[in-house]
Amino acid sequence: MTQLQRLAIAPNQLQNSQIILTPQQLHYLNRVLRLQAGDRFIAMNGQGQWWLAKLEGEQAEILEPIAVQTELPINVTLVVALPKGNGFDEVVRQATELGVSSLVPTISDRTLLKPSPQKLDRWRRIATEAAEQSERQIVPTILEPLPFTTALALYQAHHQYICVERGHHPHLLNCLTHTPQRAVTVATGPEGGWTEAEIETACAASFQPVSLGRRILTAVLAPIVALSLVAAAAEMGKMNNEAKM
Amino acid sequence: MTQLQRLAIAPNQLQNSQIILTPQQLHYLNRVLRLQAGDRFIAMNGQGQWWLAKLEGEQAEILEPIAVQTELPINVTLVVALPKGNGFDEVVRQATELGVSSLVPTISDRTLLKPSPQKLDRWRRIATEAAEQSERQIVPTILEPLPFTTALALYQAHHQYICVERGHHPHLLNCLTHTPQRAVTVATGPEGGWTEAEIETACAASFQPVSLGRRILTAVLAPIVALSLVAAAAEMGKMNNEAKM
């Protein structure tokens, strides 16, 4: 099943058991993937539903739903101080592969980048592509860039951590494995780190300061490391049970 | 102390308590960093030793050794099937930031890239730069690309894992937290994954197949996720004790 090609469709393209394909999708299926009438592929609506579909001219017929579960068992929101240059493109791509639910790009005191409005479209396209490639069922939500203090107030979760690069803080993994997590929000800083004032504001908003290790990580790598740990802590029990089956 | 600029030096540049600087290093210190005679910086020999040094014309004087510990408490070797394009550059950079000891680029059955000899020099330069930026004491070793089966035989450790993307295997983090680790070797695959034969060979060489989660990760991201977990599992006890001090 997983050898079949996958196509992301908008929910409104589905009418009864037919998928009305756009010209771009037809080009992709016919010219890029070289599918012909009668060939099968996987249609994904970006909201967790997958179907086995069969190409028929300018439409496709839904054959059956596919039961898959590639999503993390918990909601994870990353609040990421925008790295310089195009660094956030990489964060979007890799965080999507790792199962993030929502990404909140934020402007911190030491953020150099002032993103253009076109950036948001670009990030959302990257997230859609990465969700397809990593076989996710859901395309993560990418919010408009917000000032850090606004993001702190808006994205409250059951467990909230702010990654701080110097000083003696407990390791994020230690917090994750000692407390069962439901929804998690993790904030990671910009080049040069958070200011003292930002860390204090986050603590006042019930974010716990944590460490990602003794070395200094770049603003692009820090959110990926934090998410790797949250995802692994959430999945490890579940996968181990399956491995025993 | 950590606000001071850092400079990597070769061990043979140190003579008595003087550092004989190269023209490139003098240019960097004088022109790029704008240091003047009498200004202090941190000299690192790439083998775990740091010194506070003072610039004096074309030499620098060692003032005192600096006690630092930014290295992982265990040796970690990553055996990485070479990703396509320049993907391994990113693996070298990020794995160095995360504290890897040795990187073994390997040619697997599905590896498309045949690296040129210049690549190795480039990877070593990237590792040196990333070690400086992340404040590591050691520059990781990067081996010449080897066939996968040769790498398996050469890089045996106390604990050895091969990351496999489909099928029911226990999560890597589960293995790490249930067994105290000393030296760890982790192998991650190419685009398209390992072949069945490669996984069998690895198992015969005492590599345990593990999962990095339910989603399909790219060949660039997989080694970074694996290393994030190994590093965090190795450091979390240690950092938590410090946080209590």
Side-chain angles (χ1 to χ4, degrees), chain A residues 69-70 72 97-98 134-135 166 170-171 174 211 213-218 221 232 235-236 239-240 242, chain B residues 69-70 72 97-98 134-135 166 170-171 174 211 213-218 232 235-236 239-240 242:
Chain A
Q69 181 45 267
T70 59
L72 290 179
E97 284 183 55
L98 282 167
S134 57
E135 304 189 0
R166 298 185 197 277
H171 199 292
N174 217 297
S211 167
R214 296 160 180 276
R215 290 150 306 282
I216 304 297
L217 306 179
T218 60
L221 183 55
E235 278 188 333
M236 73 172 180
M239 306 213 48
N240 223 39
E242 284 174 10
Chain B
Q69 181 45 269
T70 58
L72 291 178
E97 285 182 55
L98 281 167
S134 58
E135 304 189 0
R166 299 186 196 279
H171 200 292
N174 218 296
S211 166
R214 295 158 181 277
R215 290 151 306 282
I216 303 298
L217 305 180
T218 60
E235 279 188 332
M236 73 172 181
M239 305 211 48
N240 221 42
E242 285 174 12

Side-chain angles (χ1 to χ4, degrees), chain B residues 143-188:
Chain B
L143 279 288
E144 286 194 51
L146 290 172
F148 179 57
T149 43
T150 314
L152 285 181
L154 281 177
Y155 297 95
Q156 299 276 321
H158 287 98
H159 296 278
Q160 309 178 133
Y161 304 101
I162 180 167
C163 302
V164 177
E165 60 187 3
R166 299 186 196 279
H168 295 305
H169 301 291
H171 200 292
L172 173 60
L173 183 58
N174 218 296
C175 302
L176 296 171
T177 51
H178 283 80
T179 321
Q181 310 280 311
R182 285 182 291 172
V184 176
T185 295
V186 186
T188 58

Side-chain angles (χ1 to χ4, degrees), chain B:
Chain B
M1 187 69 80
T2 44
Q3 277 70 8
L4 289 178
Q5 299 288 348
R6 292 174 301 279
L7 181 75
I9 63 168
N12 63 9
Q13 288 185 259
L14 187 64
Q15 295 181 4
N16 300 319
S17 64
Q18 296 290 315
I19 302 167
I20 315 298
L21 297 164
T22 67
Q24 291 80 7
Q25 288 169 335
L26 279 170
H27 176 84
Y28 179 70
L29 291 171
N30 289 318
R31 304 285 161 180
V32 182
L33 301 183
R34 302 271 169 196
L35 297 194
Q36 299 179 337
D39 283 347
R40 299 183 309 163
F41 64 93
I42 294 171
M44 316 180 299
N45 72 350
Q47 299 175 346
Q49 290 175 284
W50 288 25
W51 296 275
L52 184 64
K54 188 171 75 175
L55 186 61
E56 290 182 340
E58 300 192 353
Q59 303 192 355
E61 187 191 344
I62 297 282
L63 299 178
E64 58 187 74
I66 301 172
V68 277
Q69 181 45 269
T70 58
E71 292 300 317
L72 291 178
I74 60 170
N75 262 315
V76 185
T77 300
L78 283 181
V79 174
V80 180
L82 279 166
K84 60 189 175 187
N86 288 325
F88 198 64
D89 291 7
E90 197 60 22
V91 174
V92 171
R93 189 174 294 115
Q94 298 193 329
T96 300
E97 285 182 55
L98 281 167
V100 75
S101 318
S102 305
L103 271 167
V104 187
T106 63
I107 316 288
S108 68
D109 291 347
R110 294 196 181 124
T111 300
L112 300 173
L113 188 76
K114 294 285 170 280
S116 66
Q118 294 81 13
K119 285 274 183 187
L120 188 59
D121 290 339
R122 179 179 164 78
W123 296 331
R124 287 177 174 161
R125 272 201 310 276
I126 292 172
T128 304
E129 284 170 17
E132 271 181 33
Q133 284 168 8
S134 58
E135 304 189 0
R136 286 192 61 178
Q137 296 156 273
I138 290 171
V139 178
T141 306
I142 303 183
L143 279 288
E144 286 194 51
L146 290 172
F148 179 57
T149 43
T150 314
L152 285 181
L154 281 177
Y155 297 95
Q156 299 276 321
H158 287 98
H159 296 278
Q160 309 178 133
Y161 304 101
I162 180 167
C163 302
V164 177
E165 60 187 3
R166 299 186 196 279
H168 295 305
H169 301 291
H171 200 292
L172 173 60
L173 183 58
N174 218 296
C175 302
L176 296 171
T177 51
H178 283 80
T179 321
Q181 310 280 311
R182 285 182 291 172
V184 176
T185 295
V186 186
T188 58
E191 283 90 5
W194 302 111
T195 60
E196 284 298 321
E198 286 172 327
I199 297 170
E200 277 169 30
T201 310
C203 292
S206 304
F207 277 69
Q208 179 181 347
V210 291
S211 166
L212 294 178
R214 295 158 181 277
R215 290 151 306 282
I216 303 298
L217 305 180
T218 60
V220 171
L221 183 54
I224 301 309
V225 171
L227 181 56
S228 297
L229 301 180
V230 173
E235 279 188 332
M236 73 172 181
K238 248 180 142 61
M239 305 211 48
N240 221 42
N241 292 340
E242 285 174 12
K244 286 185 194 130
M245 287 178 353

Side-chain angles (χ1 to χ4, degrees), chain A residues 187-203:
Chain A
T188 59
E191 283 89 7
W194 302 112
T195 59
E196 284 297 322
E198 285 172 328
I199 298 171
E200 277 170 30
T201 309
C203 291

